[in-house]
Amino acid sequence: MSFERLFEPVQIGPVVAPNRFYQVAHCNGLGYRMPRALAAMRGVKAEGGWGVVCTEEVEIHPSSDLSPYIEGRLWDDEDIPALALMAEAVHRHGALAGIELTYGGLNASNLTSRLPPLGPRSATIFGGYGPMQTRRADKQDLRDVRRWQVEAARRAKQAGFDIIYVYAGHGMSLAMQFLQRRLNDRRDEYGGSLENRTRLLREMLEDTLAAVGDTCAVALRLAVDELLGPDGLTHQGEGHDIVAMLAELPDLWDVNLSGWSNDSTPSRFEKEGYQEAYIAFVKQLTSKPVVGVGRYTSPDAMLSAVRRGVMDLIGAARPSIADPFLPNKIREERLEDIRECIGCNICVTGDTLTVPIRCTQNPSMGEEWRRGWHPERIAPKKSDARVLVVGGGPAGLECARALGQRGYEVTLVEARRQLGGRAILEAALPGLGEWRRLVEWRLGQIEKLPNVSLYPSSPMRAEDVLEAGFAHVIVASGATWRRDGVGRSRWQPLPGCDLPQVLTPDDLFAGKLPPPGRVLLYDDDHFYLGGVLAEFLAQQDYPVTLVTTAPLVSAYTQFTLEQERVQKRLAQLGVELRVQHSLEAIQPGCARLRSELTNAASDLACAAVVLLSERQPNDGLYQELRPALDAGQLASLRLIGDAEAPNVIAQAVFAGHLAARQFEEAPAEGLPFQVERLQL
Ligand code: ADP
Ligand code: SF4
C-alpha cells in the first residue's frame, strides 16, 4: 500500500498509537453540557481510523472556568464519569484517548465561578468579557495550580485517558502566559530569564509525569510561534529555545501556532500545510514524537510531512470533523471518497457561539448521538419509490446523494449548466476555491451510484415536474439576492434600487460587471460574502467603498476567526471602509448614506451599487406544486435548503441530508432528537 508509512504504530511514552492519524484537541460546543453527544462524536472518529482522539480544553479547576464557552470539565471526581464515556467510546475502536488539561489563566473569565482568575501579573482577561483582570499569582497559587494539574491528571487516568496534556498553546493557558515576556513581568524565579519563565511549565510537566507517567503518556502542546515578531514567541527565538530546554521531558510534542486564529485559519487565508515552516525545527531538537497540524486532507501531503521529518503524527481537527473516516479511506485506498474540509470554519462557530458543532461538509457532525447519524452509514430504502430532486445546489446535491446511498432511484434536475448552486458560484471568488470540494465530493459519490441521474441545464416549471410523473418531489431551488435593498436594516424598498447601475451578487455570479468607476458595495448581510465581493471587485481594478450597517466589516466572520484578516486584506487592497452607515437612496452617479451614529446624511459618488441585503427564497415552484399534493397527484412534496429558509451553506447541506434520512420514515413522536438533560 502506498501510504503504509501513515499506518505505522508510534510509541508515545508508555503507550502506542496504532497509526499516525492524530485528532488533536478541538472544541465543539458539546463539552461538559452534552457528554453523550461528545462521546459518540469522538467514538466515530476512532471508528474511522484516527489512532489518537483527544478532548477539547478541559478545565481542571473552577478558578479556570472558561464560560461562556462549553469545554470539558474535570473539577472534581464527579466529572470523571462523563469523560470516561468518551474514553470508552474511543477505546472501543482501538484508538488512544487524549485529554487536554487546561488551566486558563488570562483566558478564564470565571463568569460562572466568580473566582479571581490567576495570571503571571494582573492583566486584562482575553476576549470580550468586560473590564476584568487577573490576580497576580503568588507562590501558594502556583503550588495550587500544580496540585490541581496533578489531581486532574489522576482523574483523567481514572477516566481511562492514555495521553494527558500539559497545555501551553494558543496563549490560552497560564503555563504559556508565564512564557510570554509581555505578560510576565515577575522578579521571582518564575520571571525574567526564559529559563525562569519556563519554570512553571517544566514543573507542571514533571509533576504530571510523576503522577501518571507510569501508564499514561504526558504530552506538551506548545505554540512555537505567535506571529507577533519580537513581541511574542518565535520559532527562531524563544519558541525554539523552549523546545531545546524541554526537549526530552514530554513524551510527545504537539506544536502549533498561536493564537487560535493563526492555528485554525480559514482556507481563504492559509492553505494545507501552512504551519510546516514554523514547526519543522522541533524534530531536530527532540527524539520524542512530534505532532503538528495544518489542515491536512491530502494523503500525499501527509506522507510527505512524515517523510521529510516535519512530524511523526499528522494532527488534525478540521479534517477529522469533515471526514471522521479519513484514515480508513486512505487505508482502503479509497482516496476519492475523502470528504475534504473546505476551510470555512463553520465548525468553529460551535465554540464561538456556544452551540453544538456543525460542519459544512459533514452534516452528521454533532448529530451522532442525538439523531443517531453515522457519517458513513444510512438506513436502506423502504420501497422502490422514485424521487425527483429539483435544484442542484448544496441542499439538492446532498439530498440526492444520501437518498441514492439509501438505494432510492433519484433524478436530480438543475436549471444551470453547472451543478453546485451557490457553492460553485462562490468558489470562483478570491480565496474560496476550496468551496468546490463540497460539490466535487458529492458529484464523485453520485457518479458511483447508478440509481442517481443528474440532469443539468434543465429548468423545471410545475407542469414539467408533474409531467415527469414522479410521486415524490423534493424542491431545493435555493434563494435569490433581493434587488430592492429590503433586509436587516430596511423594511421598505430602497429608492433608486431599480436603476441600471444597481447589481446584486447574482449579477456578479452571472458574469455581469459594474460600469467603470467607483463601486459602492452595501453589506447588510454581515457574513463573508460582502468582504469577498469587495476583494473581487478590487482585483478587477474597481475603486470600491464597502458600506456596512455593522460596526465591523464582515462582522459575523468574528465567529469564524477571520474578521481581522478580512479587514486587513481589504485595507491592503485599498477598499474604502465605511461602517455603521445605512444606504438611504441611490441616484445616477451617487448614493445617499446615513450615519447610524450621528444620523448625518452624506453623498457618495459612485458609478454602481452592489446590494447585499437579504435573499428571497425561490419557493414559487413549491407553492405551485402544493395543490397537486393536496389533490393526491403527488405522494410527497418537500421544500428544503435556502428555498425554505436562506441560511449558511452548512444548513443547506444539513437540510438535504435530513430530508434524505427522513424520506418515507414515520415522523418522530415527541422531540425530533434525543436531549441530554440533568437527571434530578
Ligand atoms: P441551496 O443552498 O439550498 O442548495 P442554491 O441556491 O445553492 O440553494 O441552489 C439551488 C439550485 O437550484 C440552483 O443551482 C438553481 O439553479 C437551482 N434551481 C432553482 N430553481 C430551479 C428549477 N425550477 N429547476 C431546476 N433547477 C432550479
Ligand atoms: Fe472544514 Fe468547514 Fe467542516 Fe470546519 S465546518 S471542518 S472548516 S468543512
Side-chain angles (χ1 to χ4, degrees):
M1 184 185 61
S2 31
F3 298 104
E4 218 163 334
R5 188 91 201 264
L6 297 175
F7 293 89
E8 292 164 349
V10 179
Q11 184 83 38
I12 309 175
V15 298
V16 179
N19 59 42
R20 297 184 187 270
F21 294 92
Y22 194 109
Q23 183 243 273
V24 291
H26 73 76
C27 53
N28 49 77
L30 305 169
Y32 69 84
R33 186 174 52 186
M34 296 168 74
R36 291 183 184 83
L38 183 79
M41 180 267 279
R42 302 290 192 199
V44 159
K45 303 222 205 164
E47 185 191 347
W50 295 90
V52 179
V53 179
C54 295
T55 60
E56 58 276 50
E57 286 176 289
V58 175
E59 303 166 358
I60 62 171
H61 189 262
S63 63
S64 167
D65 144 30
L66 302 172
S67 55
Y69 303 109
I70 311 291
E71 312 296 339
R73 224 165 236 187
L74 201 41
W75 286 3
D76 69 10
D77 288 356
E78 298 288 311
D79 289 322
I80 294 174
L83 279 160
L85 276 183
M86 170 188 151
E88 282 159 23
V90 169
H91 288 161
R92 220 169 284 142
H93 301 284
L96 298 179
I99 182 165
E100 188 175 75
L101 299 180
T102 301
Y103 194 85
L106 275 126
N107 194 46
S109 71
N110 292 359
L111 282 165
T112 298
S113 68
R114 302 190 71 177
L115 297 169
L118 296 175
R121 63 174 168 90
S122 182
T124 307
I125 293 289
F126 302 152
Y129 306 113
M132 51 168 93
Q133 292 184 211
T134 48
R135 170 155 70 78
R136 175 188 285 267
D138 63 21
K139 298 277 178 60
Q140 183 55 46
D141 291 324
L142 297 183
R143 281 192 288 273
D144 287 342
V145 170
R146 289 172 58 186
R147 179 167 50 85
W148 296 329
Q149 167 78 17
V150 164
E151 287 169 1
R154 291 208 178 102
R155 290 183 182 118
K157 177 176 170 174
Q158 205 182 323
F161 285 91
D162 311 284
I163 301 177
I164 297 182
Y165 269 78
V166 175
Y167 178 45
H170 303 121
M172 290 182 184
S173 81
L174 189 68
M176 176 156 177
Q177 294 143 17
F178 266 75
L179 300 175
Q180 293 166 313
R181 253 178 313 154
R182 64 188 188 279
L183 292 173
N184 184 345
D185 65 351
R186 301 173 73 97
R187 301 230 168 119
D188 59 11
E189 65 267 37
Y190 290 94
S193 67
L194 183 63
E195 198 178 347
N196 278 357
R197 281 180 277 132
T198 308
R199 188 176 309 277
L200 178 64
L201 178 59
R202 180 193 286 278
E203 288 174 343
M204 289 173 77
L205 276 167
E206 288 168 347
D207 294 344
T208 310
L209 280 157
V212 296
D214 52 342
T215 58
C216 299
V218 175
L220 169 57
R221 186 160 223 203
L222 178 76
V224 294
D225 205 310
E226 301 181 84
L227 306 188
L228 292 175
D231 287 339
L233 303 177
T234 63
H235 68 290
Q236 298 126 326
E238 293 194 336
H240 173 279
D241 297 346
I242 296 165
V243 178
M245 265 192 259
L246 302 178
E248 297 300 313
L249 190 55
D251 294 318
L252 171 82
W253 282 93
D254 176 345
V255 285
N256 66 351
L257 293 176
S258 179
W260 188 19
S261 64
N262 292 329
D263 192 28
S264 295
T265 314
S267 59
R268 187 171 165 192
F269 297 98
E270 294 291 357
K271 301 300 173 198
E272 181 170 33
Y274 63 96
Q275 299 203 16
E276 286 189 6
Y278 300 95
I279 62 160
F281 77 91
V282 177
K283 262 193 71 64
Q284 278 132 45
L285 298 183
T286 179
S287 66
K288 301 299 173 83
V290 174
V291 57
V293 291
R295 217 166 48 75
Y296 290 99
T297 59
S298 129
D300 287 325
M302 296 177 200
L303 189 59
S304 154
V306 173
R307 279 204 178 130
R308 284 177 292 122
V310 177
M311 57 185 79
D312 302 290
L313 295 132
I314 305 296
R318 289 171 292 177
S320 76
I321 294 169
D323 197 340
F325 274 61
L326 187 150
N328 281 1
K329 289 173 183 174
I330 298 177
R331 189 161 45 82
E332 292 156 15
E333 306 217 13
R334 294 193 288 125
L335 305 191
E336 74 288 358
D337 288 339
I338 296 173
R339 194 171 44 229
E340 289 179 288
C341 164
I342 68 168
C344 63
N345 276 11
I346 284 293
C347 50
V348 168
T349 66
D351 188 67
T352 54
L353 297 173
T354 70
V355 295
I357 187 168
R358 301 170 290 168
C359 170
T360 303
Q361 273 282 51
N362 174 11
S364 67
M365 179 46 48
E367 304 293 346
E368 299 84 355
W369 179 80
R370 66 172 187 176
R371 284 192 162 89
W373 288 3
H374 189 276
E376 301 297 307
R377 292 192 292 273
I378 193 163
K381 67 177 181 177
K382 291 231 145 149
S383 75
D384 288 333
R386 294 164 57 243
V387 188
L388 178 70
V389 177
V390 184
L397 277 180
E398 173 60 17
C399 188
R401 185 206 64 78
L403 279 171
Q405 189 188 357
R406 292 189 64 184
Y408 286 105
E409 199 73 38
V410 185
T411 298
L412 182 141
V413 286
E414 161 57 48
R416 297 198 187 102
R417 201 158 46 85
Q418 202 180 15
L419 287 149
R422 65 181 285 207
I424 207 72
L425 297 170
E426 292 180 14
L429 293 172
L432 301 190
E434 289 185 29
W435 264 225
R436 298 187 70 84
R437 294 175 172 182
L438 186 133
V439 180
E440 282 165 0
W441 182 77
R442 289 179 169 77
L443 290 178
Q445 297 297 298
I446 287 173
E447 208 172 299
K448 294 185 183 186
L449 294 167
N451 48 326
V452 182
S453 322
L454 303 177
Y455 293 91
S457 306
S458 307
M460 298 289 274
R461 296 162 304 165
E463 52 266 42
D464 304 325
V465 170
L466 295 175
E467 234 169 69
F470 290 83
H472 302 277
V473 178
I474 295 177
V475 180
S477 44
T480 306
W481 286 94
R482 293 185 76 124
R483 296 193 167 273
D484 59 5
V486 169
R488 195 190 292 269
S489 31
R490 82 174 293 124
W491 53 280
Q492 283 187 324
L494 180 69
C497 64
D498 44 7
L499 287 167
Q501 76 268 30
V502 179
L503 283 79
T504 71
D506 292 316
D507 295 321
L508 298 177
F509 291 141
K512 184 170 169 188
L513 283 174
R518 179 162 293 276
V519 180
L520 186 166
L521 191 139
Y522 183 57
D523 186 3
D524 202 21
D525 168 68
H526 299 180
F527 200 13
Y528 59 90
L529 196 59
V532 176
L533 288 176
E535 191 177 335
F536 165 75
L537 289 166
Q539 283 182 358
Q540 314 296 310
D541 290 332
Y542 286 97
V544 180
T545 304
L546 190 154
V547 177
T548 179
T549 44
L552 292 170
V553 169
S554 297
Y556 190 81
T557 61
Q558 288 176 94
F559 300 113
T560 49
L561 306 181
E562 59 194 315
Q563 195 280 331
E564 285 174 20
R565 281 183 164 80
V566 172
Q567 190 142 346
K568 209 166 171 183
R569 179 167 289 178
L570 294 182
Q572 283 162 352
L573 285 167
V575 172
E576 216 180 83
L577 306 174
R578 198 87 59 99
V579 298
Q580 282 178 301
H581 277 76
S582 57
L583 180 56
E584 225 174 53
I586 306 169
Q587 290 159 2
C590 89
R592 171 145 287 209
L593 306 179
R594 192 164 294 278
S595 159
E596 298 203 333
L597 298 178
T598 64
N599 208 31
S602 57
D603 287 331
L604 184 87
C606 55
V609 175
V610 176
L611 283 181
L612 266 89
S613 55
E614 270 180 5
R615 285 178 294 153
Q616 190 89 52
N618 299 331
D619 59 357
L621 176 67
Y622 171 81
Q623 300 302 349
E624 284 172 42
L625 290 170
R626 273 304 296 260
L629 177 72
D630 299 338
Q633 202 178 344
L634 291 176
S636 77
L637 174 67
R638 185 162 180 167
L639 181 67
I640 61 168
D642 290 334
E644 184 186 21
N647 201 323
V648 295
I649 295 176
Q651 189 62 16
V653 173
F654 174 82
H657 195 80
L658 181 70
R661 292 244 182 200
Q662 291 180 336
F663 185 69
E664 289 198 312
E665 298 290 341
E669 281 180 23
L671 297 175
F673 45 76
Q674 297 192 82
V675 178
E676 292 191 63
R677 290 201 170 95
L678 277 179
Q679 297 299 319
L680 296 178

